[in-house]
Amino acid sequence: MANELQLSREEAAKWKGGNGALSGAGGDFWIGVLAGRARAFSSGGTAAQPSYDHAGPAVRPGDELNGLLREQAKIRKQFAGLLDGTGIGRGAGSLKPDLYWELLNADDVAVATLGASYSRNSGGNVQAADTFYYASGGYYVTLTLHQMWPVDVNGKPHTLIWRGDMVSSASLADLHGVEKLGSESAMMKDIAKSIALFRRESAH
Amino acid sequence: MVPRYFSRHLLAATFLTAATGSFASDFWPAEYSFEETYVGEASVSRGPHHVQDFDESDTLLRLILTPRVKLGVLRLGFQYEQFSFGLSENAPLPNTLQSVAAVIGIDTQFSDSILVRLETTPGVYSEAFRPGSNVFNMPFEIGGIYIYNPDLQFVVGVSVDVERKYPVFPGGGIRWKFQPRWVLNAVLPTPRLEFEWNKNLTLYAGATLKETNFRMSDDFGREHGIPKLDHAVLTYSEVRAGGGIDWKVTSWLSVNAEAGYQPYRNFDFYRASIRFHEDGSAPYGMIALHGAF
């Protein structure tokens, strides 16, 4: 089993060898991992997520999410009302999440992820939080926050959207100086591209 | 649904990392390098005049702090470089060229697609710090990177040095990750073709272009039989071509080893119209320690 895979020791111990692809024994293994982690999230939020520790120092998804938010105190304060009701960086919250899984391409490697979305409408101001609280590789966790306000532009109703994206990844620690600036630029471009695509599709 | 694509550079993005954030709050981030190159015996000539069979040692030491500020990433530090040539006493060339300079610069974002570096290296570029050669100079460079996507970037820049024959010198290149493990990093002064063997080991083939201006001492010319070279400016340039490996030992230490050939070398006292160029090349070997934290 590749050391790059982000699993707990208990999960890794269930691996019976063979092809790791999502077919046959490999598929059964990954279904077990994903289902187990989704159940743990439902019952105990990210605090209940097993660490990534099968091949190195333990990395706890809940700690990573809390670390991201700690670095952005203003954002954390702005979204405190929403986040306090979620399982993001804590135990299961009072809000009911929409749970999902996705298979992504992360640095040319297939990565299985588990996600949860929350939203809250408070007097017309909508806040939303979307997290990948598990990834089999590539990065540890992500968190995307949205705040939406109804606005009037030239007499027509529109929505003003603020969005913040946070990523925690081992590869971030390897980047310094201009490399980190370049990565930020690349990420901003990618997000801007997805926003433009979303606006184009939603205009029809 | 919009497909999501995470490249390493995209992931390596952000002001929001727990890993680096906690570290940076304790220390100023920095990058460093120590490099030693030995070039075997070779010769240069100027018409019928030959300077034969001398070797070269090039030592480079650089430490740059890279704190993050609102405008971007500051670059504050120093660099020291020494060229030592195994020349005979009568040779009309300097045995030692030394420079010590501060590094003052900034990397900043003009937009989501354009990064800009402004950097100057004020210091002394001298003939072994001898009297008269310790004249202050302040070359600087302005460069821009256009990020087309995480795999393709274009670089343009200009280097300015009033002591140079052509004070303004343009440069640039392209960085293109055209296969998952192959990168064409064709950016001056170190164009390379890189192959990522694994996460910690990169193999490459490429070249290193060097050109620096040094001031000779007040009596250099008289001591070497060419009086008009007293206090002259020497542009020393060389090209090395070879292959190497870069091994990332830890997150803050990499070891780089390289070997190849030096096909071009030039000692140009351009204001005095005296120039010695290569007359036979030599192999070289280089070892370097570098990293960032």
Side-chain angles (χ1 to χ4, degrees):
Chain A
M1 170 168 287
N3 286 347
E4 290 79 16
L5 285 174
Q6 295 174 167
L7 297 166
S8 68
R9 287 192 192 123
E10 291 71 25
E11 289 166 332
K14 292 174 186 166
W15 174 249
K16 296 193 169 54
N19 188 345
L22 294 178
S23 59
D28 293 342
F29 171 78
W30 282 111
I31 287 169
V33 169
L34 297 178
R37 284 185 175 265
R39 276 196 298 272
F41 182 84
S42 291
S43 60
T46 55
Q49 284 295 299
S51 303
Y52 306 148
D53 60 3
H54 100 92
V59 175
R60 296 176 183 81
D63 290 351
E64 293 300 308
L65 286 162
N66 282 327
L68 292 173
L69 288 166
R70 200 164 41 242
E71 294 292 317
Q72 298 295 325
K74 286 181 181 171
I75 296 174
R76 185 187 193 188
K77 189 179 172 189
Q78 175 70 19
F79 285 85
L82 171 67
L83 292 170
D84 287 350
T86 71
I88 297 171
R90 58 184 67 240
S94 55
L95 293 172
K96 189 176 182 311
D98 290 322
L99 301 175
Y100 60 93
W101 76 280
E102 282 190 45
L103 187 63
L104 305 176
N105 179 338
D107 201 17
D108 298 316
V109 174
V111 171
T113 62
L114 291 170
S117 285
Y118 297 88
S119 63
R120 186 183 74 144
N121 189 335
S122 174
N125 290 340
V126 177
Q127 289 186 326
D130 191 340
T131 180
F132 283 149
Y133 59 86
Y134 172 72
S136 61
Y139 56 93
Y140 297 142
V141 294
T142 72
L143 177 60
T144 300
L145 299 170
H146 288 93
Q147 176 138 0
M148 291 157 267
W149 297 267
V151 292
D152 202 68
V153 180
N154 297 329
K156 291 183 180 173
H158 286 74
T159 304
L160 176 64
I161 304 173
W162 177 95
R163 168 176 170 161
D165 289 85
M166 310 182 198
V167 181
S168 172
S169 162
S171 61
L172 288 169
D174 293 343
L175 296 181
H176 300 87
V178 72
E179 290 177 335
K180 187 167 279 187
L181 278 184
S183 306
E184 288 176 16
S185 294
M187 182 175 183
M188 292 296 286
K189 280 189 75 161
D190 201 70
I191 291 168
K193 202 184 292 179
S194 70
I195 290 171
L197 200 57
F198 169 77
R199 292 186 65 192
R200 196 164 64 231
E201 287 179 351
S202 61
H204 296 300
Chain B
M1 177 184 289
V2 179
R4 297 190 219 197
Y5 181 88
F6 289 85
S7 73
R8 182 176 176 192
H9 292 277
L10 184 152
L11 286 170
T14 184
F15 40 90
L16 301 164
T17 108
T20 54
S22 58
F23 192 74
S25 63
D26 297 327
F27 303 98
W28 269 25
E31 58 187 54
Y32 68 90
S33 61
F34 171 74
E35 189 179 309
E36 176 62 41
T37 304
Y38 177 78
V39 185
E41 290 189 348
S43 305
V44 294
S45 64
R46 172 181 168 245
H49 307 287
H50 296 272
V51 181
Q52 292 183 313
D53 300 333
F54 64 94
D55 59 4
E56 173 191 330
S57 161
D58 175 16
T59 307
L60 177 66
L61 182 63
R62 184 181 290 135
L63 174 66
I64 301 174
L65 299 174
T66 54
R68 187 71 188 254
V69 295
K70 240 181 183 175
L71 269 177
V73 176
L74 286 179
R75 293 173 57 77
L76 304 169
F78 80 96
Q79 63 181 27
Y80 171 81
E81 184 162 27
Q82 174 176 314
F83 291 95
S84 296
F85 303 103
L87 292 160
S88 64
E89 275 190 15
N90 298 326
L93 296 172
N95 201 62
T96 304
L97 299 171
Q98 282 173 312
S99 69
V100 59
V103 177
I104 303 168
I106 187 169
D107 292 326
T108 188
Q109 288 169 304
F110 266 30
S111 73
D112 291 343
S113 298
I114 298 174
L115 302 181
V116 171
R117 170 171 293 181
L118 308 169
E119 185 169 285
T120 181
T121 47
V124 170
Y125 299 78
S126 76
E127 182 215 348
F129 301 134
R130 295 181 66 201
S133 72
N134 295 328
V135 175
F136 177 82
N137 189 20
M138 196 170 83
F140 66 94
E141 59 186 39
I142 302 170
I145 303 172
Y146 175 72
I147 301 171
Y148 181 76
N149 64 39
D151 292 333
L152 179 61
Q153 294 97 42
F154 300 93
V155 180
V156 292
V158 63
S159 163
V160 180
D161 184 347
V162 293
E163 296 279 41
R164 193 160 48 209
K165 188 174 185 178
Y166 304 103
V168 180
F169 197 79
I174 181 173
R175 184 192 174 280
W176 179 28
K177 187 174 184 179
F178 57 95
Q179 288 285 321
R181 297 166 76 181
W182 287 91
V183 177
L184 176 65
N185 198 352
V187 181
L188 294 174
T190 53
R192 289 175 173 180
L193 177 62
E194 300 171 351
F195 175 73
E196 190 180 290
W197 185 273
N198 62 39
K199 211 175 86 178
N200 297 321
L201 187 67
T202 298
L203 313 179
Y204 65 87
T208 300
L209 286 69
K210 290 201 165 216
E211 184 178 284
T212 312
N213 298 294
F214 297 92
R215 177 72 69 168
M216 299 299 101
S217 62
D218 285 339
D219 52 5
F220 172 81
R222 278 168 285 163
E223 284 181 357
H224 292 78
I226 311 175
K228 66 179 178 177
L229 296 186
D230 284 352
H231 201 56
V233 172
L234 165 68
T235 299
Y236 177 67
S237 46
E238 63 178 46
V239 175
R240 300 171 195 154
I245 60 170
D246 196 68
W247 174 35
K248 187 175 177 184
V249 183
T250 70
S251 62
W252 52 270
L253 172 66
S254 294
V255 178
N256 181 198
E258 182 181 311
Y261 222 65
Q262 185 195 60
Y264 176 82
R265 172 189 272 166
N266 202 18
F267 294 84
D268 191 358
F269 298 95
Y270 67 92
R271 288 176 185 163
S273 298
I274 292 176
R275 182 167 71 95
F276 288 83
H277 59 83
E278 85 284 348
D279 182 20
S281 305
Y284 75 90
M286 183 275 287
I287 188 149
L289 305 177
H290 65 95
F293 50 84

